[in-house]
Amino acid sequence: MAGREDEPLTGYDPLDCFHEECGVFGVFGSDEACVLTALGLHALQHRGQEAAGIVSYDGDAFHAHRALGHVGDNFGADSPQMARLRGHAAIGHNRYSTSGNINPLMEIQPFSSELAFGGFALAHNGNLTNASRLRASLIETGSLFQSSSDTEVIVHLVARSHQADVTGRLVDALKQIDGAYSLVCVADDMLIGVRDPHGVRPLILGKRDDTWLLASESCALDIVGATVVRDLEPGEMLIIDKNGVRSEMPFQQVAPRFCVFEYVYFSRPDSIVEGRGVYHARKAIGGELASESHIDADLIIPVPDSGVPAALGYAEKSGVPFDLGIIRNHYVGRTFIQPTQKGRTDSVKLKHNANPAAVKGKRIVLVDDSIVRGTTSRKIVTMMRNAGAAEVHMRIASPPTTHPCFYGVDTPSQDQLIAARMTVDEIAAEIGVDSLAFITVDGMYKAIGDMARNEDQPQFCDACFTGDYPIRLASGLSAKRVSHGGSQ
Ligand code: AMP
């Protein structure tokens, strides 16, 4: 685990544990900057569904619109707000979650402020692990915070920096920050993109004619007809202005630790993140899972949509036919992303239906990407039994989720993670399956990167599966080590 001598890894501070899942997008050099941003955010909707915002810059002034709800509901092509969002530069943000805050509208990014050097707008994907301490000391010395977001800390640090220009101020601010961040900013007629030194969250550069774009995932570049130029390097700052793109590496170099969960679940399957296709990674995990934990069965059934590529890979490898035994209602969003357990349980009920024609009398293997609390699996296994399945086995395309993420993926606290409390056998009994197996950590590495996990210097951030947190956690953020039993 990473850590700093002056900051013990103990205790728990909820302010440092915002549950954020976000997508960011940025444009420079197009009269349609806000339209491109709205389209990009639409493609990134899976990264956050509770709120969206766009800030544009027209060379003179900043214009902003932020709203609760989906991108499509708030940034329609003919809406008055789109007419107001003038300019050749824009950034946008999708966010989960604004619930529980006194004024949810104040939490919606991008944040924009008038600072001593001019306007500054910022959108952030990730989570800052020492925000709480920084925030307390900023407040003590006179800062007035408008939101409870960790991201606002960056704005205050930029405002207070004594560096001469905005990029220097931003670097100055980020050098005080621990955590995971992929940022897009507009200031001083520039679009700036930055990734944290470990490169935990993705950020990719694209181009369409003379327009430069930054996006969390390549699927957002595809939707606007842009080509992928390259991923930003971990720790890289890209400065885009009318003269083109300039790269700086302002931070001390550390080993990259890209989030493995982006491949397992979070990114869209049609995206290429960190140079690897997500769809192929998921199929390969399914294939590896089939090799690790084969069971005689009649059908492989994906839990839609997240389990589909892994189930295809599993079916291909095992030679067992693939079929649709669960039908998904697409008018229900990501269930997990509902902020309350009641909302989650209700949504799971609304979201999936059994297809008895496929499963009746069959020995089935259900394939899903992950089990977190167990809400989805419990429900689906019952559904399959009620539909007449003869045997219900479950295979999970990730190792047991034993630790919360503090770097920007929404996970419940450790006591709510079923694999942190129970062995695999106990989980199998709890969700009511005839057998259960998760892919091993080694199998996951092999499938995604054709590599063995380097135990001294793991190639990915896999903290949710191993408890090996690469970025120091501020006093407060901690999780207990968990060991779980084998499969079945
Ligand atoms: P649960 O029902 O709590 O066990 O959650 C597992 C389901 O939620 C799986 O079907 C996953 O596809 C999905 N899931 C897992 N992790 C996340 C996450 N961080 N954000 C949103 N959905 C997730």
Side-chain angles (χ1 to χ4, degrees), residues 21 261 265 306 336 368-376 409-410:
E21 298 191 322
F261 199 67
Y265 172 83
S306 52
F336 186 102
D368 201 358
D369 67 286
S370 58
I371 296 181
V372 182
R373 302 176 186 85
T375 319
T376 309
V409 170
D410 173 40

Side-chain angles (χ1 to χ4, degrees), residues 39-109:
L39 286 168
L41 291 182
H42 177 68
L44 296 172
Q45 189 76 79
H46 59 287
R47 296 184 75 88
Q49 302 174 347
E50 292 236 342
I54 296 179
V55 172
S56 70
Y57 177 67
D58 64 10
D60 246 352
F62 284 77
H63 311 279
H65 185 73
R66 305 173 186 90
L68 293 169
H70 288 189
V71 179
D73 297 334
N74 290 295
F75 294 95
D78 301 324
S79 60
Q81 48 269 27
M82 289 300 272
R84 273 199 305 106
L85 290 167
R86 292 184 306 277
H88 58 279
I91 55 173
H93 188 264
N94 281 336
R95 174 180 166 81
Y96 164 90
S97 151
T98 54
S99 321
N101 300 113
I102 295 162
N103 185 351
L105 285 174
M106 299 303 283
E107 308 290 324
I108 305 175
Q109 298 186 34

Side-chain angles (χ1 to χ4, degrees), residues 206-270:
K207 195 160 196 273
R208 192 182 90 161
D209 304 323
D210 294 331
T211 303
W212 292 99
L213 304 109
L214 293 170
S216 292
E217 292 177 39
S218 64
C219 66
L221 300 178
D222 296 339
I223 197 175
V224 299
T227 51
V228 169
V229 177
R230 65 175 176 86
D231 293 299
L232 273 72
E233 297 292 327
E236 183 176 20
M237 172 182 272
L238 276 191
I239 300 140
I240 302 168
D241 61 17
K242 57 182 182 327
N243 300 316
V245 181
R246 196 170 85 240
S247 163
E248 290 182 10
M249 297 293 286
F251 310 109
Q252 203 185 346
Q253 256 187 302
V254 292
R257 296 288 291 272
F258 183 66
C259 167
V260 78
F261 199 67
E262 292 276 352
Y263 292 114
V264 166
Y265 172 83
F266 202 28
S267 290
R268 234 169 70 161
D270 53 331

